[in-house]
Amino acid sequence: MEKIFLIGYRCTGKTSVGRKLAEKLDVSFFDSDELVVERAGCSICDIVSRWGWPYFRTLEKEVVKYLAKVQGPGVVALGGGSVMDEENVDALRGKGFFVWLYADVNTIVSRMIKDKKTSSTRPSLTGDDVYGETQQVLSIREGVYRSIMDAKIDTRGKELERVVDEIIWEREKWRVTRLDSCSK
Protein backbone atom coordinates (compact mmCIF):
# COMPACT_ATOMS: atom_id res chain seq x y z
CA MET A 1 0.00 0.00 0.00
CA GLU A 2 1.28 3.46 -0.91
CA LYS A 3 1.13 6.65 1.11
CA ILE A 4 -1.87 8.94 1.26
CA PHE A 5 -0.89 12.62 1.10
CA LEU A 6 -3.43 15.08 2.49
CA ILE A 7 -3.18 18.56 0.98
CA GLY A 8 -5.26 21.67 1.44
CA TYR A 9 -5.54 24.94 3.32
CA ARG A 10 -5.40 25.45 7.07
CA CYS A 11 -8.36 24.12 9.02
CA THR A 12 -9.60 21.81 6.28
CA GLY A 13 -8.95 18.79 8.51
CA LYS A 14 -5.61 17.43 7.33
CA THR A 15 -4.26 16.59 10.79
CA SER A 16 -7.52 15.42 12.39
CA VAL A 17 -8.56 13.39 9.36
CA GLY A 18 -5.02 12.11 8.87
CA ARG A 19 -4.75 10.74 12.40
CA LYS A 20 -8.14 9.01 12.15
CA LEU A 21 -7.38 7.65 8.67
CA ALA A 22 -4.00 6.25 9.76
CA GLU A 23 -5.64 4.65 12.78
CA LYS A 24 -8.35 3.06 10.64
CA LEU A 25 -5.83 1.76 8.09
CA ASP A 26 -3.37 0.74 10.84
CA VAL A 27 -0.49 2.68 9.27
CA SER A 28 1.89 5.40 10.44
CA PHE A 29 0.80 9.03 10.55
CA PHE A 30 3.11 11.95 9.75
CA ASP A 31 2.34 15.65 9.99
CA SER A 32 4.88 17.80 8.16
CA ASP A 33 4.20 20.85 10.37
CA GLU A 34 4.74 18.78 13.52
CA LEU A 35 8.01 17.46 12.10
CA VAL A 36 9.17 21.00 11.30
CA VAL A 37 8.40 22.06 14.89
CA GLU A 38 10.24 19.02 16.22
CA ARG A 39 13.26 19.74 14.00
CA ALA A 40 13.38 23.44 14.96
CA GLY A 41 12.67 22.90 18.65
CA CYS A 42 10.11 25.70 18.68
CA SER A 43 6.65 26.53 17.35
CA ILE A 44 5.90 27.65 13.80
CA CYS A 45 5.02 31.10 15.17
CA ASP A 46 8.45 31.26 16.83
CA ILE A 47 10.22 30.06 13.68
CA VAL A 48 8.48 32.69 11.57
CA SER A 49 8.94 35.54 14.07
CA ARG A 50 12.62 34.75 14.66
CA TRP A 51 13.78 33.74 11.18
CA GLY A 52 10.90 34.42 8.76
CA TRP A 53 8.83 32.38 6.35
CA PRO A 54 11.80 31.54 4.04
CA TYR A 55 13.52 29.68 6.89
CA PHE A 56 10.31 27.83 7.72
CA ARG A 57 9.99 26.79 4.05
CA THR A 58 13.62 25.54 4.11
CA LEU A 59 12.86 23.35 7.12
CA GLU A 60 9.64 22.21 5.48
CA LYS A 61 11.54 21.18 2.34
CA GLU A 62 13.94 19.08 4.48
CA VAL A 63 10.94 17.39 6.13
CA VAL A 64 9.27 16.68 2.77
CA LYS A 65 12.52 15.11 1.46
CA TYR A 66 12.61 12.95 4.59
CA LEU A 67 8.96 11.92 4.15
CA ALA A 68 9.61 11.03 0.51
CA LYS A 69 12.29 8.56 1.66
CA VAL A 70 10.24 6.91 4.42
CA GLN A 71 9.45 3.40 3.25
CA GLY A 72 6.11 1.69 3.56
CA PRO A 73 2.53 2.85 3.78
CA GLY A 74 1.39 5.84 5.77
CA VAL A 75 -0.78 8.91 5.91
CA VAL A 76 0.94 12.28 5.55
CA ALA A 77 -0.68 15.62 6.41
CA LEU A 78 1.27 18.19 4.42
CA GLY A 79 1.47 21.84 5.39
CA GLY A 80 -0.90 23.94 3.28
CA GLY A 81 1.91 25.74 1.46
CA SER A 82 4.32 22.83 1.07
CA VAL A 83 2.96 21.84 -2.33
CA MET A 84 3.53 25.36 -3.66
CA ASP A 85 7.17 24.30 -3.99
CA GLU A 86 7.64 22.25 -7.15
CA GLU A 87 10.61 20.38 -5.67
CA ASN A 88 8.42 19.17 -2.82
CA VAL A 89 5.77 17.93 -5.22
CA ASP A 90 8.39 16.24 -7.41
CA ALA A 91 9.87 14.49 -4.36
CA LEU A 92 6.46 13.01 -3.47
CA ARG A 93 5.04 12.37 -6.94
CA GLY A 94 4.63 8.68 -7.68
CA LYS A 95 4.85 7.73 -4.01
CA GLY A 96 1.15 7.82 -3.23
CA PHE A 97 -2.34 9.16 -3.52
CA PHE A 98 -2.94 12.93 -3.15
CA VAL A 99 -6.20 14.00 -1.51
CA TRP A 100 -7.19 17.65 -1.50
CA LEU A 101 -9.26 18.33 1.61
CA TYR A 102 -11.43 21.26 0.62
CA ALA A 103 -13.57 23.80 2.44
CA ASP A 104 -14.78 27.22 1.35
CA VAL A 105 -13.47 30.50 2.81
CA ASN A 106 -16.39 30.95 5.22
CA THR A 107 -16.00 27.44 6.63
CA ILE A 108 -12.22 27.79 7.01
CA VAL A 109 -12.50 31.16 8.77
CA SER A 110 -15.23 29.83 11.06
CA ARG A 111 -13.03 26.85 11.99
CA MET A 112 -10.04 29.13 12.59
CA ILE A 113 -12.04 31.32 14.93
CA LYS A 114 -13.36 28.31 16.86
CA ASP A 115 -9.91 26.65 17.10
CA LYS A 116 -8.15 28.27 20.05
CA LYS A 117 -4.71 27.02 19.04
CA THR A 118 -4.94 28.45 15.52
CA SER A 119 -3.83 31.92 16.55
CA SER A 120 -0.98 30.59 18.68
CA THR A 121 0.32 28.02 16.21
CA ARG A 122 -0.50 29.41 12.77
CA PRO A 123 1.12 32.75 12.00
CA SER A 124 -0.36 35.08 9.39
CA LEU A 125 0.79 34.46 5.85
CA THR A 126 0.02 37.95 4.53
CA GLY A 127 -0.66 40.24 7.49
CA ASP A 128 -4.22 40.75 6.20
CA ASP A 129 -7.33 40.05 8.30
CA VAL A 130 -8.18 36.34 8.56
CA TYR A 131 -10.97 36.45 5.96
CA GLY A 132 -8.99 38.51 3.44
CA GLU A 133 -5.88 36.39 3.91
CA THR A 134 -7.77 33.12 3.51
CA GLN A 135 -9.51 34.35 0.38
CA GLN A 136 -6.26 35.67 -1.12
CA VAL A 137 -4.08 32.65 -0.33
CA LEU A 138 -6.76 30.14 -1.36
CA SER A 139 -7.14 31.84 -4.73
CA ILE A 140 -3.41 31.35 -5.31
CA ARG A 141 -3.17 27.79 -4.00
CA GLU A 142 -6.35 26.19 -5.37
CA GLY A 143 -4.92 25.79 -8.87
CA VAL A 144 -1.90 23.96 -7.50
CA TYR A 145 -4.03 21.75 -5.25
CA ARG A 146 -6.24 20.92 -8.22
CA SER A 147 -3.27 20.13 -10.49
CA ILE A 148 -1.72 17.54 -8.18
CA MET A 149 -4.76 15.97 -6.50
CA ASP A 150 -5.99 12.48 -7.25
CA ALA A 151 -9.21 13.17 -5.34
CA LYS A 152 -10.97 16.16 -3.80
CA ILE A 153 -12.99 15.71 -0.62
CA ASP A 154 -15.25 18.51 0.58
CA THR A 155 -14.99 18.53 4.39
CA ARG A 156 -17.75 21.06 5.04
CA GLY A 157 -20.34 19.87 7.54
CA LYS A 158 -19.03 16.29 7.63
CA GLU A 159 -18.08 14.11 10.56
CA LEU A 160 -14.47 12.94 10.65
CA GLU A 161 -15.45 9.32 10.07
CA ARG A 162 -17.35 10.20 6.89
CA VAL A 163 -14.37 12.10 5.45
CA VAL A 164 -12.11 9.14 6.29
CA ASP A 165 -14.51 6.73 4.55
CA GLU A 166 -14.69 8.97 1.48
CA ILE A 167 -10.89 9.03 1.24
CA ILE A 168 -10.72 5.24 1.47
CA TRP A 169 -13.41 4.94 -1.23
CA GLU A 170 -11.64 7.43 -3.53
CA ARG A 171 -8.30 5.69 -3.02
CA GLU A 172 -9.83 2.34 -3.99
CA LYS A 173 -11.31 3.87 -7.17
CA TRP A 174 -7.88 5.39 -7.94
CA ARG A 175 -6.12 2.05 -7.42
CA VAL A 176 -8.57 0.22 -9.70
CA THR A 177 -8.15 2.90 -12.37
CA ARG A 178 -4.35 2.58 -12.14
CA LEU A 179 -4.55 -1.20 -12.40
CA ASP A 180 -6.86 -0.94 -15.41
CA SER A 181 -4.55 1.49 -17.21
CA CYS A 182 -1.51 -0.71 -16.47
CA SER A 183 -3.19 -3.81 -17.93
CA LYS A 184 -4.00 -2.13 -21.25
Side-chain angles (χ1 to χ4, degrees), residues 30-93:
F30 305 93
D31 184 299
S32 68
D33 284 346
E34 288 175 4
L35 291 171
V36 167
V37 166
E38 186 179 300
R39 188 168 284 214
C42 59
S43 72
I44 294 173
C45 281
D46 287 341
I47 295 167
V48 172
S49 69
R50 289 180 191 174
W51 302 292
W53 278 110
Y55 183 69
F56 171 81
R57 295 296 178 205
T58 298
L59 292 176
E60 184 177 61
K61 187 177 289 218
E62 291 172 10
V63 164
V64 169
K65 285 179 184 173
Y66 160 76
L67 291 169
K69 292 177 184 172
V70 172
Q71 297 297 309
V75 175
V76 179
L78 291 167
S82 64
V83 295
M84 299 305 290
D85 185 312
E86 218 171 294
E87 284 182 47
N88 288 343
V89 175
D90 288 344
L92 300 174
R93 198 177 303 281

Side-chain angles (χ1 to χ4, degrees), residues 105-130:
V105 174
N106 290 331
T107 301
I108 291 170
V109 170
S110 173
R111 289 176 182 173
M112 283 182 181
I113 292 168
K114 288 177 188 170
D115 182 7
K116 299 295 181 215
K117 69 178 195 170
T118 292
S119 58
S120 65
T121 61
R122 296 178 173 141
S124 175
L125 297 164
T126 65
D128 201 355
D129 69 280
V130 70

Side-chain angles (χ1 to χ4, degrees), residues 159-171:
E159 296 292 324
L160 218 51
E161 193 65 40
R162 179 168 172 204
V163 175
V164 165
D165 289 343
E166 286 182 27
I167 292 169
I168 292 169
W169 170 250
E170 289 293 335
R171 185 191 62 168

